[in-house]
Amino acid sequence: MDKYRLPSVDFDSPLVELSFELERFRGNLGLGTTRPQLIIELHSLFQILSSVISARIEGNRTTVYDAIRGPSGDDEQQSEAQREINNLLAAMRLIDELPPEAPLTHSLVREFHRMTVDGLTREGDPTPGSYRVVDVEILNSAHTPPSHVYVHSEMSDFLEFANRPLPAHQQMIHVAIAHHRFLWIHPFRNGNGRVSRLVTYFMIRRNGFVSPVGLRTVNPTAVFGNDRDEYYASLEAADDLSNSGTVLWCTFFARGVHDDLERLTKLQDAEYLSREVLAPTIQRMRESGILNTAESKALQIVFDQGVVKAGDLEDAFPGGPSARSVAIRAMVERGLLQRADAGPRFYTASLHNPVIGPFLVRRFNELGFLPPMLQNDKLE
């Protein structure tokens, strides 16, 4: 049986309809009015969400709010749960830095694994960055992965498939099959789920789901956070490599990516982002005592303009230049503003910092942007 043959699908299958819809979304990426700086900041925030989801699937209970805040300053050492999330963030940054056309290789997959399990005990691996040299079983699964003797050759076949050029309308199915077949091989003793989601992120990025600034706000890991049980059940349905099981898995995957893109492409609309997300976030921060009236106005100006000079904040801080500099410095020290690349006297806002980020995530939750897996996290 050719495990890498694309499944046969009836024309009226939901998978066909989803494939067409995904192509429409891909064509619309980058056509919005949201400033590139905000796209970059949103990308950074959603990468944190994705790392929490990937770790949560494996049992990590760190909340998204704790992940944004990071370990407190008096922590003698980073907790293993937080380190697992930071490892995933580092691997995602590596992927973002790679050319989109870069091929997937043995060494790259092994590096994903090394980074993922680095410094971990409970969720670590005795041989980081190396394929397994023992046979394994998957807990609560009827599937038995191939013997370790065949792992390298199985992975060679997998990489040939993962790097295979396919027409645009088949690419999401291509990514879905690759995700399952990687887990079917189970090339590492531990960390396979986390690495498979990184591989999926790598492939979907390479397949053109990128913004003009080279970054995406969507990460397919969010798909797997919608329903952990359904995720595993859909994967298991494809373990026999049958056409029907593969179609079921691909449909689950494509529907999740479709729903996520449908929500997230709204963020390309600057008016929607300002009205439904940023303005309510500022209002809630003011009500919580995080911002005073002047700071609220200043932050709104920065959100509207993207990058500002001190003089652009005169309406918020109407005193002289000296008083304005003091107020801006205070906002920078609290993490409300950060210095922009344009120069030392230019400022922008960070959406994923420990001050603004938790309030922004809370607003996204109210709008239905978070997968169910994260919806019970509490903002203290």
Side-chain angles (χ1 to χ4, degrees):
M1 180 182 297
D2 182 2
K3 69 173 68 73
Y4 296 113
R5 177 181 297 174
L6 267 63
S8 301
V9 184
D10 294 334
F11 187 77
D12 59 352
S13 166
L15 184 56
V16 173
E17 182 180 354
L18 287 166
S19 297
F20 281 113
E21 283 291 301
L22 287 169
E23 281 308 296
R24 179 175 64 84
F25 281 128
R26 174 158 47 182
N28 289 335
L29 281 174
L31 299 182
T33 53
T34 298
R35 296 177 183 276
Q37 179 63 34
L38 284 177
I39 292 291
I40 292 171
E41 287 296 322
L42 287 169
H43 176 81
S44 297
L45 180 62
F46 278 96
Q47 292 296 65
I48 295 174
L49 302 185
S50 295
S51 69
V52 173
I53 292 168
S54 190
R56 182 74 58 85
I57 290 172
E58 307 302 327
N60 189 316
R61 302 309 301 172
T62 302
T63 72
V64 64
Y65 303 109
D66 287 340
I68 292 172
R69 295 188 184 105
S72 62
D74 59 357
D75 282 352
E76 293 185 3
Q77 62 182 26
Q78 185 176 247
S79 70
E80 170 146 334
Q82 184 68 49
R83 186 179 185 93
E84 181 182 5
I85 290 169
N86 288 345
N87 285 353
L88 291 167
L89 279 170
M92 290 177 193
R93 284 194 294 270
L94 170 63
I95 294 172
D96 284 338
E97 292 167 359
L98 293 171
E101 67 276 7
L104 193 62
T105 63
H106 285 288
S107 60
L108 190 55
V109 171
R110 292 197 298 263
E111 178 62 9
F112 291 163
H113 182 258
R114 186 198 66 77
M115 296 178 73
T116 295
V117 301
D118 180 45
L120 301 182
T121 302
R122 185 178 66 85
E123 291 298 338
D125 189 295
T127 56
S130 299
Y131 294 143
R132 58 183 170 87
V133 292
V134 296
D135 290 348
V136 296
E137 296 180 351
I138 303 175
L139 186 65
N140 299 322
S141 173
H143 171 62
T144 300
S147 169
H148 70 277
V149 175
Y150 303 109
V151 166
H152 193 278
S153 62
E154 287 279 3
M155 285 300 297
S156 294
D157 291 343
F158 167 82
L159 292 170
E160 188 281 325
F161 172 74
N163 291 314
R164 187 181 301 170
L166 289 175
H169 68 281
Q170 295 179 342
Q171 287 175 356
M172 196 59 70
I173 297 175
H174 181 214
V175 176
I177 293 175
H179 181 89
H180 174 268
R181 295 334 189 222
F182 180 94
L183 290 172
W184 189 91
I185 297 169
H186 220 72
F188 303 106
R189 291 178 67 175
N190 196 21
N192 292 280
R194 284 163 287 168
V195 176
S196 73
R197 292 184 282 276
L198 290 170
V199 168
T200 301
Y201 176 51
F202 175 94
M203 290 184 65
I204 200 171
R205 180 177 180 269
R206 189 182 63 190
N207 283 344
F209 286 84
V210 295
S211 73
V213 293
L215 299 173
R216 305 174 306 102
T217 53
V218 64
N219 188 312
T221 297
V223 173
F224 313 132
N226 286 327
D227 189 322
R228 184 174 183 265
D229 292 338
E230 187 180 1
Y231 169 48
Y232 282 133
S234 299
L235 280 170
E236 188 172 355
D239 282 345
D240 63 0
L241 307 181
S242 67
N243 189 82
S244 59
T246 300
V247 169
L248 189 152
W249 160 248
C250 290
T251 303
F252 168 84
F253 180 86
R255 182 176 292 112
V257 173
H258 171 276
D259 293 347
D260 201 41
L261 274 170
E262 190 171 43
R263 291 188 295 266
L264 295 178
T265 49
K266 295 178 181 178
L267 302 181
Q268 292 189 141
D269 183 342
E271 181 180 353
Y272 174 88
L273 180 61
S274 177
R275 182 186 70 249
E276 299 296 335
V277 180
L278 300 179
T281 297
I282 291 174
Q283 179 63 26
R284 177 161 282 155
M285 292 176 70
R286 182 179 174 185
E287 293 170 351
S288 300
I290 303 297
L291 301 174
N292 59 36
T293 301
E295 290 169 339
S296 299
K297 191 169 186 178
L299 199 55
Q300 186 64 62
I301 292 171
V302 176
F303 283 153
D304 290 342
Q305 297 187 25
V307 177
V308 301
K309 296 179 293 185
D312 296 327
L313 300 179
E314 183 176 2
D315 286 347
F317 305 121
S322 178
R324 190 156 48 249
S325 294
V326 170
I328 291 173
R329 187 183 312 117
M331 292 187 72
V332 171
E333 290 173 352
R334 294 172 58 203
L336 296 168
L337 296 180
Q338 61 183 353
R339 301 191 186 279
D341 294 337
R345 298 182 182 275
F346 290 81
Y347 305 91
T348 187
S350 172
L351 301 183
H352 63 286
N353 73 71
V355 183
I356 300 175
F359 286 90
L360 195 57
V361 169
R362 183 175 175 180
R363 180 58 183 162
F364 279 131
N365 189 30
E366 292 170 348
L367 294 171
F369 276 69
L370 300 191
M373 185 174 285
L374 300 184
Q375 289 175 2
N376 291 327
D377 286 5
K378 302 297 183 184
L379 173 60
E380 301 297 338

